Amino acid sequence: MDATDMTVWMVGGCVRNALLGLPVKERDWVVVGETPERMLARGFKQVGADFPVFLHPQTKEEYALARTERKTGRGYKGFAVDFSAGISLEEDLFRRDLTINAMAMDVMGTLIDPFGGREDLERRLLRHVSPAFAEDPLRVLRVARFQAQLAALGFVITPATMTLMAGLVQAGELADLTVERVWLETVKALESEVPAVYFRVLDQCGALEVVFPEIAALKGKIHSPQYHPEGDAFEHALLTLEYASAVTSDPVVRFAAFVHDLGKGETPIEKLPHHYGHEERGARIVAALCNRMRAPKRFARLALLVAAHHMRCHRVLEMRPGKVMALLEALDALRQPAGLEDFVMACSADVISRGEVDVYPAGDVLRACLRAVKIIDVRPLLEAGLQGSRLGEALRQERIHCVKQVLKSASGLISGKQCVTR
């Protein structure tokens, strides 16, 4: 059977992005009037276990049968799905989350827009299609993510949609979300144009306390105005994320910068505005967060290192050479020098985001220390007959000596106080 004689429309994000003039990374299609058996007979490969989604035999693009969904219970299994051949395109679009995602376009470029999506694009509005929006709690995170992706274009969430989102939170619906889905939306947000918006929206609708209680705990944890005029620890985390997002598109670095101060969420009220020991607390909290979210190792590793050691990085010029060498060892920088760049970038965001300075000399010094110890020639030590633990200790002392020389040189070049957060 020929795959070209079907009734198909391009739908969703690819239509939205095309109308906005944004890159279309992949195309999704809806098929009307077909059955799974006929799709398979045409050479399509079924990939959806719960819904009838198929891969085109040549392009490998996704083709989904038009369907309707009706809420029958809690969670992702609590839906009655109808994908019979009689489902219309408009019925399929009606089940979607936002009007700007509920448009379709045929192969000739004709737009199908039953719910005013194009007008909402022009008005820069994120608006739900129907009250059925409230049937899927994941949409709370999706809308927050869409605003983060489109914030640079001026998009805002309508009050009515925000009310629905808050209602889902208050009804306890977010408890049904799996950590895998939460993490996927969060990573997409971290990759977006303005990821801090994602967390602000979650906070505004009350979802932050439910989905990321570790981050919500930063709210109200004030700093000393001398070091943090921007406000509490939550505002500082958002500013740090904003700066990190301006200098790198890597979601791993952005995430590490954002969660670097989670230890401050457990600072006792009577100790405020001081946060002594927040690095140790933060490392524990970040490890637990990443474990709960089943975050990939590359996210967890950098976030844990930044949480545990960012204050040491800030104070490199104040530390003894042996302590600096110990920091490089803790970062495994000799074996993974690229990781040091990510670490320094996240640490620099902590300082520069406050707007008091626009350089981070501690990072340059730590890089210089690594360069110095990496070029040490071990041959004289071997020729002296050193082996085993004696060779290792002698090499480490050589490295500490090189670090000492770098620190001595750097202290003469960098004037003023070292940038230190409290």
Side-chain angles (χ1 to χ4, degrees), residues 77-136:
K77 301 296 184 180
F79 284 91
V81 181
D82 182 359
F83 50 88
S84 60
I87 301 298
S88 69
L89 174 65
E90 184 168 330
E91 287 176 309
D92 181 273
L93 296 177
F94 183 77
R95 70 176 172 79
R96 296 174 184 266
D97 49 12
L98 299 173
T99 60
I100 65 171
N101 296 329
M103 296 180 288
M105 186 176 290
D106 65 18
V107 293
M108 300 301 293
T110 302
L111 183 68
I112 310 298
D113 181 19
F115 307 110
R118 184 162 198 167
E119 182 180 358
D120 284 345
L121 282 182
E122 294 170 353
R123 297 168 63 194
R124 299 302 195 246
L125 295 178
L126 300 178
R127 179 169 62 89
H128 63 282
V129 174
S130 74
F133 176 95
E135 294 181 349
D136 185 357

Side-chain angles (χ1 to χ4, degrees), residues 22-296:
L22 299 176
V24 175
K25 297 180 180 179
E26 58 184 26
R27 300 185 301 176
D28 294 312
W29 302 85
V30 160
V31 185
V32 175
E34 296 292 342
T35 65
E37 293 75 19
R38 286 172 58 85
M39 295 294 289
L40 293 172
R42 293 174 185 272
F44 284 79
K45 179 181 179 182
Q46 186 166 353
V47 293
D50 299 320
F51 303 116
V53 179
F54 303 84
L55 294 183
H56 190 283
Q58 281 79 47
T59 68
K60 306 305 179 184
E61 293 177 327
E62 288 192 356
Y63 285 66
L65 297 186
R67 69 179 188 264
T68 62
E69 298 171 355
R70 180 172 53 86
K71 187 76 168 177
T72 58
R74 294 181 66 94
Y76 295 105
K77 301 296 184 180
F79 284 91
V81 181
D82 182 359
F83 50 88
S84 60
I87 301 298
S88 69
L89 174 65
E90 184 168 330
E91 287 176 309
D92 181 273
L93 296 177
F94 183 77
R95 70 176 172 79
R96 296 174 184 266
D97 49 12
L98 299 173
T99 60
I100 65 171
N101 296 329
M103 296 180 288
M105 186 176 290
D106 65 18
V107 293
M108 300 301 293
T110 302
L111 183 68
I112 310 298
D113 181 19
F115 307 110
R118 184 162 198 167
E119 182 180 358
D120 284 345
L121 282 182
E122 294 170 353
R123 297 168 63 194
R124 299 302 195 246
L125 295 178
L126 300 178
R127 179 169 62 89
H128 63 282
V129 174
S130 74
F133 176 95
E135 294 181 349
D136 185 357
L138 184 65
R139 289 174 171 175
V140 173
L141 277 68
R142 279 175 55 83
V143 174
R145 188 249 299 175
F146 281 128
Q147 184 165 359
Q149 291 174 327
L150 299 172
L153 297 179
F155 276 81
V156 296
I157 303 168
T158 66
T161 300
M162 184 65 81
T163 298
L164 279 180
M165 293 165 63
L168 279 167
V169 175
Q170 293 166 9
E173 293 287 341
L174 270 63
D176 293 327
L177 294 176
T178 65
V179 293
E180 290 83 2
R181 289 187 174 231
V182 171
W183 180 252
L184 179 61
E185 288 298 321
T186 300
V187 171
K188 289 180 179 179
L190 287 168
E191 294 171 339
S192 71
E193 192 78 12
V194 192
V197 168
Y198 173 75
F199 297 99
R200 287 195 185 276
V201 171
L202 294 184
D203 181 44
Q204 289 167 8
C205 69
L208 190 68
E209 287 81 358
V210 179
V211 180
F212 293 110
E214 306 90 341
I215 297 171
L218 297 175
K219 295 167 58 180
K221 294 304 174 75
I222 61 173
H223 293 106
S224 169
Q226 178 183 358
Y227 300 103
H228 287 276
E230 71 276 13
D232 66 13
F234 181 57
E235 284 300 316
H236 172 61
L238 290 170
L239 286 176
T240 303
L241 176 57
E242 288 176 0
Y243 178 81
S245 301
V247 297
T248 179
S249 61
D250 188 346
V252 175
V253 178
R254 292 178 173 187
F255 177 71
F258 182 54
V259 301
H260 77 281
D261 265 352
L262 289 192
K264 293 179 178 179
E266 291 189 359
T267 299
I269 295 178
E270 64 271 16
K271 299 293 184 180
L272 297 175
H274 303 292
H275 295 274
Y276 303 123
H278 75 274
E279 279 188 307
E280 291 76 11
R281 296 193 302 273
R284 170 177 51 80
I285 296 169
V286 166
L289 168 62
C290 290
N291 183 62
R292 177 170 63 83
M293 284 287 135
R294 300 174 188 172

